[in-house]
Amino acid sequence: MEITLNSGFKMPIVGLGVWRMEKEGIRDLIINAINLGYRHLDCAADYKNEAEVGEALAQVFKTALVKREDLFITTKLWNSDHGHVIEACKDSLKKLQLDYLDLYLVHFPVATKHTGVGTTDSALGEDGVLDIDTTISLETTWHDMEKLVSMGLVRSIGISNYDVFLTRDCLAYSKIKPAVNQIETHPYFQRDSLVKFCQKHGICVTAHTPLGGATANAEWFGTVSCLDDPALKEVADKYKKTVAQVVLRWGMQRNTVVIPKTSKPERLEENFKVFDFELAKEDMEVIKSMDRKYRTNQPAKFWGIDLYA
């Protein structure tokens, strides 16, 4: 299953996120994922593992497991490189050992102190608060993103963690419309208004943290996962599926792309077995009623400021 972006390119509806993935295990995990049928990888400069992903990609191309055109590769511009978009993109391409990206996203709608291309630091001021660069506008950053398309380095460009207001502004000043807005969304944080706004204006929504963060976010942010919700377990039992599979299928039936992250081979396979069933309308409504407006990914813990405030 694929979604056709407003750029005309097709994006697989299920991908593998590589955030917080251990460097030494990436190669085998990506090869395993491709063998299972994954064709979409979601990366970012800030994940600090692009070079390891690149080594895995080089191997799968060399062994003819897949061709470059068979894969959809996303990576992201970090906050500290907003004034160096072209250099940052080229740095990511070099690490990933690719000639072009299928999708390049503005990771967060904020420019921060530049610390060197590709270093992806989040410099804090003396007050312990993120050192935000107020001289670079998001419009300037976006026009530099558009240059990447004309240069042939990127096929589609998009945004990430943008709300309705910022997305609307991007639509107003863009010459090339954002193809994607990647946001946190799951049964406990459905963000229906933002999802509908994006889809109404031809922007595909990708759900990062589509399983509500699970163990990873519980460890980092002390949050609760929707995977333990009794109502979801009841729905999963009805379809003889796991809760994770039901949650991913729910995301797919909202016409959002889902990019679950896992380092476990058994979860990798489980997360891809979501094409052989469909949730009934009444079960979609059950899940819709579970919204808590509950964000699980909160970088304020590291930045000393809540950018979502």
Side-chain angles (χ1 to χ4, degrees):
M1 290 177 65
E2 298 173 315
I3 287 180
T4 301
L5 304 178
N6 60 23
S7 58
F9 294 100
K10 295 182 184 297
M11 184 181 192
I13 200 166
V14 177
L16 174 65
V18 301
W19 181 51
R20 294 186 67 187
M21 203 170 278
E22 296 297 330
K23 293 181 179 182
E24 58 270 15
I26 284 184
R27 177 183 159 279
D28 290 343
L29 196 78
I30 288 177
I31 292 172
N32 191 11
I34 291 172
N35 278 320
L36 288 169
Y38 285 85
R39 293 295 181 265
H40 174 185
L41 300 177
D42 183 81
C43 313
D46 186 55
Y47 300 165
K48 302 184 189 301
N49 54 19
E50 285 180 317
E52 289 72 24
V53 173
E55 290 171 7
L57 292 175
Q59 178 162 344
V60 300
F61 297 147
K62 183 178 180 181
T63 59
L65 184 59
V66 289
K67 297 177 181 178
R68 169 64 186 96
E69 57 267 28
D70 296 330
L71 297 183
F72 190 101
I73 310 294
T74 300
T75 197
K76 309 178 190 75
L77 173 78
W78 187 240
N79 309 333
S80 56
D81 283 334
H82 274 229
H84 304 267
V85 174
I86 294 172
E87 301 98 311
C89 180
K90 287 182 176 179
D91 184 68
S92 286
L93 283 168
K94 182 178 179 180
K95 290 173 180 173
L96 290 166
Q97 301 185 44
L98 298 175
D99 296 324
Y100 70 90
L101 295 169
D102 295 281
L103 178 64
Y104 196 47
L105 303 177
V106 179
H107 203 148
F108 280 94
V110 63
T112 61
K113 180 181 178 180
H114 183 60
T115 54
V117 171
T119 60
T120 68
D121 287 337
S122 296
L124 305 181
E126 293 180 0
D127 56 359
V129 174
L130 188 66
D131 195 346
I132 295 175
D133 188 337
T134 58
T135 68
I136 303 173
S137 70
L138 291 176
E139 181 174 355
T140 298
T141 297
W142 187 254
H143 290 321
D144 284 342
M145 294 283 286
E146 291 173 327
K147 292 175 185 176
L148 298 173
V149 178
S150 61
M151 293 171 69
L153 299 177
V154 175
R155 287 185 166 181
S156 303
I157 51 177
I159 52 183
S160 182
N161 299 302
Y162 277 50
D163 62 15
V164 170
F165 297 119
L166 293 173
T167 304
R168 190 221 72 90
D169 281 357
C170 190
L171 286 168
Y173 57 63
S174 61
K175 295 175 183 176
I176 300 176
K177 304 301 181 187
V180 168
N181 187 8
Q182 185 178 128
I183 60 171
E184 177 180 349
T185 178
H186 46 78
Y188 280 1
F189 194 41
Q190 299 187 20
R191 312 179 80 181
D192 206 40
S193 294
L194 177 55
V195 171
K196 286 181 176 178
F197 178 83
C198 288
Q199 292 176 341
K200 178 179 179 179
H201 293 279
I203 301 172
C204 171
V205 172
T206 296
H208 75 65
T209 325
L211 299 175
T215 304
N217 281 6
E219 291 173 354
W220 271 25
F221 308 114
T223 51
V224 176
S225 171
C226 63
L227 297 184
D228 296 320
D229 193 290
L232 278 174
K233 290 181 178 179
E234 190 173 323
V235 174
D237 289 343
K238 176 179 175 181
Y239 292 90
K240 294 182 172 56
K241 294 288 182 179
T242 67
V243 174
Q245 288 171 327
V246 164
V247 171
L248 293 173
R249 184 70 204 188
W250 169 81
M252 292 163 61
Q253 288 182 217
R254 295 176 87 202
N255 291 317
T256 62
V257 173
V258 292
I259 48 170
K261 172 261 175 188
T262 184
S263 297
K264 299 177 180 178
E266 65 274 16
R267 292 277 186 268
L268 192 68
E269 184 173 4
E270 173 188 326
N271 290 344
F272 202 68
K273 290 184 174 180
V274 288
F275 299 99
D276 60 349
F277 74 108
E278 184 172 336
L279 296 173
K281 184 178 180 180
E282 59 265 27
D283 295 315
M284 292 291 290
E285 290 298 318
V286 167
I287 299 174
K288 186 176 182 179
S289 71
M290 296 171 57
D291 192 9
R292 299 185 181 183
K293 296 178 171 55
Y294 182 69
R295 185 187 299 278
T296 69
N297 189 315
Q298 182 47 279
K301 176 180 178 180
F302 311 107
W303 293 347
I305 184 172
D306 182 2
L307 294 182
Y308 300 116

